[in-house]
Amino acid sequence: MSKSRYIVTTPGGQQVDLTHAVILKSNNLYPFGQHNFAIYETPEGNFVKGLNKGEREVMLTHFEQLDEAAARSYSHPYIRKDE
Protein backbone atom coordinates (compact mmCIF):
# COMPACT_ATOMS: atom_id res chain seq x y z
CA MET A 1 0.00 0.00 0.00
CA SER A 2 1.28 3.45 -0.92
CA LYS A 3 2.16 5.81 1.91
CA SER A 4 1.82 8.90 -0.29
CA ARG A 5 -0.37 11.65 1.14
CA TYR A 6 -2.11 14.58 -0.54
CA ILE A 7 -1.88 17.36 2.04
CA VAL A 8 -2.67 20.97 1.11
CA THR A 9 -2.26 24.22 3.01
CA THR A 10 -4.96 26.90 3.04
CA PRO A 11 -4.16 30.64 3.11
CA GLY A 12 -4.76 30.64 6.89
CA GLY A 13 -1.99 28.05 7.29
CA GLN A 14 -4.25 25.09 8.10
CA GLN A 15 -3.20 21.79 6.55
CA VAL A 16 -5.92 19.51 5.20
CA ASP A 17 -5.36 15.88 4.19
CA LEU A 18 -7.11 15.21 0.87
CA THR A 19 -5.65 11.71 0.46
CA HIS A 20 -9.01 9.97 0.95
CA ALA A 21 -11.27 12.88 0.04
CA VAL A 22 -14.10 12.53 -2.46
CA ILE A 23 -14.21 14.95 -5.39
CA LEU A 24 -17.70 16.46 -5.55
CA LYS A 25 -17.10 18.62 -8.66
CA SER A 26 -14.11 19.33 -10.86
CA ASN A 27 -12.80 20.50 -14.19
CA ASN A 28 -9.37 19.10 -15.02
CA LEU A 29 -9.14 19.95 -18.71
CA TYR A 30 -5.65 20.45 -20.12
CA PRO A 31 -3.98 22.83 -20.83
CA PHE A 32 -4.33 23.95 -17.26
CA GLY A 33 -5.44 27.46 -16.30
CA GLN A 34 -8.07 29.39 -14.41
CA HIS A 35 -10.83 27.06 -15.65
CA ASN A 36 -9.43 24.26 -13.43
CA PHE A 37 -11.02 23.63 -10.05
CA ALA A 38 -12.00 20.79 -7.72
CA ILE A 39 -14.33 20.62 -4.72
CA TYR A 40 -13.30 17.98 -2.17
CA GLU A 41 -15.06 16.46 0.84
CA THR A 42 -12.77 14.76 3.36
CA PRO A 43 -13.81 11.74 5.46
CA GLU A 44 -13.79 14.13 8.46
CA GLY A 45 -16.44 16.34 6.81
CA ASN A 46 -14.15 19.19 5.71
CA PHE A 47 -14.80 20.85 2.35
CA VAL A 48 -11.93 22.26 0.28
CA LYS A 49 -11.92 24.16 -3.01
CA GLY A 50 -8.83 23.79 -5.18
CA LEU A 51 -8.20 26.46 -7.82
CA ASN A 52 -5.67 27.24 -10.51
CA LYS A 53 -4.41 30.82 -10.33
CA GLY A 54 -3.05 30.80 -13.92
CA GLU A 55 -0.39 28.05 -13.82
CA ARG A 56 -0.17 26.10 -17.08
CA GLU A 57 1.75 23.04 -15.83
CA VAL A 58 0.01 22.37 -12.48
CA MET A 59 -3.73 21.72 -12.30
CA LEU A 60 -4.45 23.15 -8.81
CA THR A 61 -2.30 25.80 -7.14
CA HIS A 62 -4.48 27.34 -4.41
CA PHE A 63 -6.74 25.74 -1.77
CA GLU A 64 -9.48 27.23 0.42
CA GLN A 65 -11.80 25.72 3.01
CA LEU A 66 -15.55 26.10 2.42
CA ASP A 67 -18.64 25.35 4.42
CA GLU A 68 -20.81 22.50 3.13
CA ALA A 69 -23.49 24.70 1.55
CA ALA A 70 -20.93 26.73 -0.40
CA ALA A 71 -19.11 23.57 -1.51
CA ARG A 72 -22.24 21.83 -2.76
CA SER A 73 -23.58 24.90 -4.59
CA TYR A 74 -20.24 26.09 -6.03
CA SER A 75 -20.35 27.33 -9.62
CA HIS A 76 -16.95 28.03 -11.16
CA PRO A 77 -16.74 31.44 -12.88
CA TYR A 78 -14.16 30.49 -15.56
CA ILE A 79 -14.37 28.35 -18.67
CA ARG A 80 -11.55 27.14 -20.87
CA LYS A 81 -10.91 29.30 -23.91
CA ASP A 82 -9.21 27.43 -26.72
CA GLU A 83 -6.57 29.44 -28.52
Side-chain angles (χ1 to χ4, degrees):
M1 185 164 133
S2 173
K3 295 184 186 216
S4 296
R5 310 292 286 175
Y6 183 25
I7 298 173
V8 300
T9 303
T10 65
Q14 182 176 5
Q15 291 191 327
V16 181
D17 186 348
L18 299 179
T19 306
H20 300 290
V22 174
I23 298 174
L24 302 178
K25 303 176 184 184
S26 71
N27 175 340
N28 60 0
L29 295 173
Y30 187 85
F32 300 136
Q34 287 187 317
H35 62 275
N36 296 113
F37 78 97
I39 304 294
Y40 297 92
E41 179 180 5
T42 70
E44 299 79 26
N46 294 313
F47 293 87
V48 175
K49 172 174 62 175
L51 299 170
N52 182 310
K53 295 288 189 168
E55 173 63 48
R56 216 170 147 83
E57 299 302 321
V58 179
M59 189 176 105
L60 301 174
T61 60
H62 178 80
F63 297 89
E64 305 170 2
Q65 283 200 282
L66 300 173
D67 62 41
E68 182 175 4
R72 295 197 184 278
S73 66
Y74 182 74
S75 178
H76 196 61
Y78 299 101
I79 60 172
R80 183 174 85 178
K81 294 180 183 172
D82 293 324
E83 296 174 6

